[in-house]
Amino acid sequence: MTIISTADEDWDIVDDRVDVHAGIEDAELLAAVRAICTTKEWLYVEQRLQGKKVAEIAAQIGVHPNAIYRRKARLRKKVESFLKKINFEGGKNRGSIR
């Protein structure tokens, strides 16, 4: 474990297992995805990031689950196209939308 001090009385603890750069890259990728999403598609992304399932999202906003699946399919195509355009070479599952 690495300890970084910003002042004598103020200590921040950073675990060596945390890859800060990966977190920044993930945040940048998420921001780029946000830029290509419609409002409804982004709602789907936000809800999935909170761990909600398609049926829960559909019930919450009052639509049929198939509507959510269609949004997911449109978003997947957009993200895949975007990742090809920027020549994304991340991990095997990093660019997938669940």
Side-chain angles (χ1 to χ4, degrees):
M1 188 172 296
T2 305
I3 300 177
I4 301 169
S5 173
T6 56
D8 289 340
E9 68 282 344
D10 185 22
W11 292 86
D12 292 328
I13 299 174
V14 179
D15 192 323
D16 288 335
R17 296 171 294 178
V18 175
D19 185 350
V20 176
H21 297 290
I24 292 169
E25 290 171 1
D26 290 345
E28 290 173 349
L29 182 59
L30 192 58
V33 169
R34 173 62 185 109
I36 63 172
C37 286
T38 65
T39 302
K40 292 178 180 180
E41 290 165 347
W42 185 246
L43 173 70
Y44 167 77
V45 171
E46 289 179 317
Q47 298 298 312
R48 287 295 291 156
L49 288 173
Q50 294 175 17
K52 294 184 180 175
K53 301 204 181 299
V54 169
E56 293 173 306
I57 298 168
Q60 178 183 346
I61 61 176
V63 299
H64 193 278
N66 286 345
I68 303 300
Y69 285 116
R70 285 190 298 274
R71 289 178 195 173
K72 177 182 166 183
R74 283 192 306 268
L75 180 57
R76 177 180 287 129
K77 287 180 183 178
K78 284 182 181 180
V79 170
E80 287 172 355
S81 174
F82 171 75
L83 294 176
K84 285 179 186 174
K85 187 184 300 184
I86 65 168
N87 196 23
F88 183 71
E89 296 181 13
K92 185 176 180 181
N93 293 321
R94 289 183 51 110
S96 67
I97 298 175
R98 296 177 205 127

